[in-house]
Amino acid sequence: MLVLSRKLNQSIQIGDDIEVKIIAIEGDQVKVGIEAPKHIDIHRKEVYLSIQEENSRAASLSFDLLSQLSSQKK
């Protein structure tokens, strides 16, 4: 993991297309602005993990449903 220190209004550039900027520092909170192409999804980690879990659950249900339909057809 790369660890960098940044001050207010300073940025981190990721590749050619992504900029992460420190927008505000208020007590123990840091507000971060992210500029990236629209095709790149950006989520808070807990939201991303929730999406992944839900997708996994949906895929499992789809597989179970397909298995049930397949066994009924036989």
Side-chain angles (χ1 to χ4, degrees), residues 12-69:
I12 297 168
Q13 188 71 32
I14 302 173
D16 293 331
D17 298 332
I18 302 172
E19 180 182 6
V20 180
K21 185 173 184 176
I22 306 304
I23 303 297
I25 302 170
E26 299 168 358
D28 64 348
Q29 281 194 330
V30 177
K31 291 187 180 178
V32 177
I34 303 169
E35 288 190 31
K38 292 199 181 289
H39 70 274
I40 296 177
D41 292 334
I42 300 171
H43 301 285
R44 289 175 291 136
K45 177 97 181 229
E46 61 273 16
V47 171
Y48 174 80
L49 293 174
S50 177
I51 291 168
Q52 295 300 318
E53 183 177 318
E54 188 62 32
N55 287 344
S56 179
R57 209 175 303 131
S60 177
L61 289 174
S62 294
F63 180 76
D64 291 345
L65 181 59
L66 285 173
S67 295
Q68 288 174 1
L69 290 173

